[in-house]
Amino acid sequence: MNAVSMNNLWSYLQGLSLTASNRKWLAEKLIEPVKEKTATPPVLQTWEEAMSDLDESEREFERGDVISGDDFNVQCQALIDSFATK
């Protein structure tokens, strides 16, 4: 879209009687494609990396370097909480 078309669109939108929730919905629809484009793709491991991680996990288990399910859940929740505050 060129600048004139964008200005016409903006003028049209300003002329509408939008509620706060309508404006929020519109803003989310406009931002959504940008968020999708900038999303970080998942990190994939090679077969060798996955097997190495599995081997290391087995060695940790054999050494007793493990935590209980409850401790694991507490650590996971703390990690989730740390992302929520950023």
Side-chain angles (χ1 to χ4, degrees):
M1 253 183 160
N2 63 33
V4 173
S5 297
M6 294 293 287
N7 284 331
N8 288 338
L9 177 59
W10 180 243
S11 295
Y12 171 76
L13 291 173
Q14 287 178 313
L16 298 174
S17 58
L18 299 174
T19 64
S21 64
N22 293 150
R23 289 177 183 267
K24 182 178 179 184
W25 178 89
L26 179 59
E28 289 172 355
K29 291 296 181 187
L30 291 171
I31 292 172
E32 194 172 273
V34 174
K35 286 183 179 178
E36 289 173 6
K37 287 182 183 178
T38 60
T40 305
V43 176
L44 301 177
Q45 289 184 308
T46 64
W47 178 258
E48 291 79 14
E49 291 169 330
M51 293 308 294
S52 175
D53 286 351
L54 180 59
D55 290 341
E56 178 58 28
S57 295
E58 289 173 346
R59 286 190 293 275
E60 288 174 354
F61 181 77
E62 289 169 0
R63 288 191 308 260
D65 295 342
V66 294
I67 60 174
S68 70
D70 290 337
D71 289 342
F72 178 78
N73 290 339
V74 168
Q75 288 182 14
C76 287
Q77 189 60 53
L79 182 61
I80 291 168
D81 293 343
S82 74
F83 286 119
T85 58
K86 291 182 181 181

